[in-house]
Amino acid sequence: MPTEALIARLTDLLGPKGVVTDPALVEPHLVEWRGLYRGSASVVVKPATTEEVAAVVKLCAETRTPIVPQGGNTGLVGGAVAEAGTVILSLARMNRVRAIDKAAYTLTVEAGVVLADVQKAAEEADRLFPLSLAAEGSCQIGGNLSTNAGGTAVLRYGNSRDLVLGIEAVLPNGEIYNGLHGLRKDNTGYDLRHLLIGAEGTLGIITAAVLKLFPRPRDIATALVAVADPQGAIDTLALLRERSGDTVTMFELMSRFSIETVLRHVPGTSDPLETESAWYALIELSSPRAGGDLQNALEEGLGEAMENGWVVDAAIAQNDTQRAAFRRIREEISDAQKHEGGSIKHDVSVPLASVPVFLARADAAIEKLIPGTRPCSFGHAGDGNLHYNLSQPVGADREAFLQQWEAANRVVHDIVQELGGSFSAEHGIGKLKVHELEHYKSPAALEAMRQIKRALDPYTIMNPGKVIAL
Ligand SMILES: Cc1cc2nc3c(=O)[nH]c(=O)nc-3n(C[C@H](O)[C@H](O)[C@H](O)COP(=O)(O)OP(=O)(O)OC[C@H]3O[C@@H](n4cnc5c(N)ncnc54)[C@H](O)[C@@H]3O)c2cc1C
């Protein structure tokens, strides 16, 4: 428990606005999105500047007080869960756009800017910041970078890591690392930017970043497509990339069951296709060139895919309202699945060509382990990334089903490993997957990670217990 004396010193540094101890105001910081964990910390600090973050970290290093950085608290692996005795450091007050450079296509923002506001700032300057995910109304750019978030536009623009030119951070000893430049070229030794991105707050606190911008899309074509099977989806993706001048920005695979959960539980949604199929794809093409060529390219490409037997039915959005309705079906899957009872989650990636074999093998193995389980498979299939979530059998006991979490993970992750994939494609390790990292990562990689952690954070104050077990 942080002592009265520590709280008094934190208040001296940040003023009363910067230190929260009222249990009702601390509460939202203890709730974890999936309900797997519950935090028990009693203090939240809310610094407003990088210097204030540095001062807090110095004090915590001196008193050996563990710190849990927190952004929008939308992470899905318990990375922002704070145990009793830790201080939660919220970046919420560091929410300024510091600079925009239209000619250089860069945007400099503080870590606490909500992702949707980053997108808006880019748009106001007639530019695009392409990172996009269903939690964008609450997650913060600092959290996105700390988890190296993926989302729906990775196929074209890359992960968060690919969207950052420079970073400012406070290291575990309280020193400020100022790498906040917009240089496209800078080969001056180890790149701390890439060490901090994806570190989930275990190596320091990201306080600001220079982000890459892109020209805004002026031609967009979107389709919701029933495919014959996952192989048909992959073949269609390859064809569309070729036929559209490589303008495919989004390619999301969805099983019939995942779509049905949305149609059943989300008011205002409807089945956009007459033909029922076991698999669907949400496809979007976009280009900064105006002119309407993409709708034609999409129609022609899908026509060819139909002739090849890969696509069985397709609806192409005729306006923005239809486009939004198609996207909504994909975005609502995670929430809708909650109404189907207990769910065991997987966030895996495999080489693209192995997506069909992964799905077939995993479905068979899970049916053997827990008969009647309903796989709710969907995800960023263009990147080989699937959220292979398992809904409990109808009528089963929720708690008994969830007790099979680790057994199901082992079965699924072993298949992923055999196919040369990753057991955590985009959500990270956090608290949830520390033991999976121990199990699957090579001893050489684990030892190097431990040495880095010990070197930068000798007192283990930075988000202890997350990512790597020491
Ligand atoms: C509905 C929904 C959809 C999602 N879809 C996707 C998706 O498509 N792709 C995807 O990749 N993720 C997705 N996520 C997961 C989540 O939104 C992302 O991981 C997001 O990037 C987390 O940002 P946050 O600000 O909420 O971070 P938090 O949850 O607050 O923190 C996440 C981790 O980062 C650390 N951290 C936060 N801020 C900082 C900082 N400034 N410096 C250092 N460490 C920090 C925390 O300690 C924690 O370990 C989704 C989540 C939800 C709820």
Side-chain angles (χ1 to χ4, degrees):
M1 189 67 71
T3 58
E4 296 282 317
L6 181 73
I7 292 170
R9 287 181 73 186
L10 288 167
T11 311
D12 277 350
L13 293 174
L14 306 179
K17 253 168 106 179
V19 183
V20 180
T21 51
D22 176 346
L25 300 177
V26 173
E27 171 65 18
H29 298 272
L30 307 180
V31 174
E32 185 258 334
W33 201 83
R34 277 185 172 158
L36 287 176
Y37 305 105
R38 200 190 137 71
S40 45
S42 53
V43 184
V44 182
V45 293
K46 295 189 167 180
T49 64
T50 305
E51 288 68 28
E52 286 188 357
V53 175
V56 169
V57 174
K58 272 205 174 107
L59 175 58
C60 288
E62 180 200 316
T63 55
R64 311 289 193 260
T65 308
I67 303 170
V68 178
Q70 212 175 74
N73 201 14
T74 69
L76 297 176
V77 288
V81 173
E83 312 294 348
T86 61
V87 168
I88 298 173
L89 191 148
S90 162
L91 280 299
R93 286 173 74 211
M94 291 198 59
N95 59 358
R96 285 163 289 246
V97 172
R98 288 195 191 162
I100 186 151
D101 185 336
K102 276 187 77 170
Y105 281 77
T106 61
L107 176 65
T108 306
V109 289
E110 292 183 344
V113 181
V114 169
L115 175 55
D117 294 333
V118 176
Q119 296 165 343
K120 213 179 298 159
E123 203 176 317
E124 279 165 13
D126 198 25
R127 297 286 180 260
L128 170 76
F129 182 64
L131 183 66
S132 175
L133 45 109
E136 63 199 25
S138 14
C139 61
Q140 299 174 1
I141 192 68
N144 300 143
L145 302 188
S146 299
T147 56
N148 186 26
T152 52
V154 174
L155 185 60
R156 176 84 165 281
Y157 297 100
N159 289 299
S160 295
R161 186 184 295 287
D162 302 304
L163 301 173
V164 183
L165 292 166
I167 248 177
E168 177 192 85
V170 173
L171 300 174
N173 59 4
E175 291 298 317
I176 297 172
Y177 161 65
N178 187 351
L180 204 59
H181 57 61
L183 298 174
R184 305 252 165 188
K185 291 190 162 183
D186 173 31
N187 281 346
T188 50
Y190 305 146
D191 197 333
L192 295 180
R193 163 186 51 161
H194 286 308
L195 204 53
L196 288 156
I197 295 172
E200 301 180 51
T202 60
L203 297 179
I205 297 171
I206 295 175
T207 49
V210 183
L211 305 172
K212 279 187 202 169
L213 301 179
F214 296 83
R216 228 150 61 79
R218 291 194 157 69
D219 188 5
I220 305 178
T222 311
L224 204 132
V225 172
V227 289
D229 49 30
Q231 185 60 52
I234 288 167
D235 291 335
T236 302
L237 169 61
L239 180 95
L240 286 175
R241 287 189 65 178
E242 213 176 297
R243 297 289 186 271
S244 70
D246 210 3
T247 55
V248 183
T249 333
M250 188 196 296
F251 195 95
E252 301 283 306
L253 187 67
M254 299 172 285
S255 68
R256 177 73 201 169
F257 177 65
S258 69
I259 286 192
E260 270 170 6
T261 59
V262 175
L263 302 180
R264 246 200 307 273
H265 303 295
V266 183
T269 54
S270 59
D271 205 334
L273 294 171
E274 281 173 15
T275 317
E276 223 178 84
S277 175
W279 292 97
Y280 297 80
L282 173 67
I283 305 171
E284 194 155 289
L285 275 50
S286 70
S287 160
R289 263 185 69 174
D293 303 355
L294 292 186
Q295 190 94 350
N296 291 338
L298 186 57
E299 268 171 29
E300 282 171 25
L302 289 177
E304 211 176 320
M306 253 180 201
E307 279 168 28
N308 294 341
W310 303 335
V311 165
V312 292
D313 196 3
I316 296 182
Q318 298 303 318
N319 50 48
D320 285 344
T321 313
Q322 271 185 8
R323 192 188 326 286
F326 291 177
R327 286 179 183 165
R328 184 156 178 240
I329 291 176
R330 164 63 185 87
E331 281 165 10
E332 293 284 356
I333 295 174
S334 307
D335 256 349
Q337 209 204 345
K338 288 181 176 170
H339 299 277
E340 295 289 332
S343 170
I344 298 175
K345 312 287 186 187
H346 302 90
D347 163 40
V348 302
S349 66
V350 292
L352 194 57
S354 301
V355 167
V357 67
F358 164 75
L359 287 166
R361 285 184 59 186
D363 283 359
I366 287 298
E367 177 58 26
K368 203 166 149 204
L369 182 74
I370 321 168
T373 296
R374 297 165 298 158
C376 182
S377 315
F378 65 98
H380 318 298
D383 318 316
N385 177 192
L386 291 167
H387 299 311
Y388 186 71
N389 295 346
L390 305 171
S391 280
Q392 67 175 63
V394 177
D397 178 67
R398 179 193 164 91
E399 291 315 312
F401 176 72
L402 290 179
Q403 270 167 22
Q404 302 265 41
W405 190 295
E406 282 182 21
N409 278 183
R410 183 60 62 245
V411 163
V412 172
H413 293 163
D414 277 355
I415 296 170
V416 166
Q417 179 83 351
E418 280 165 36
L419 294 172
S422 166
F423 68 87
S424 185
E426 60 173 10
H427 295 159
I429 302 297
K431 192 173 162 70
L432 183 66
K433 296 182 182 172
V434 173
H435 55 288
E436 294 301 90
L437 192 86
E438 289 288 310
H439 190 82
Y440 291 108
K441 204 88 172 168
S442 74
L446 284 171
E447 186 47 30
M449 285 172 74
R450 283 196 186 98
Q451 285 181 20
I452 291 168
K453 172 73 177 167
R454 287 192 193 110
L456 285 182
D457 184 16
Y459 307 127
T460 327
I461 59 162
M462 217 33 102
N463 213 359
K466 313 292 168 53
V467 182
I468 181 92
L470 291 178

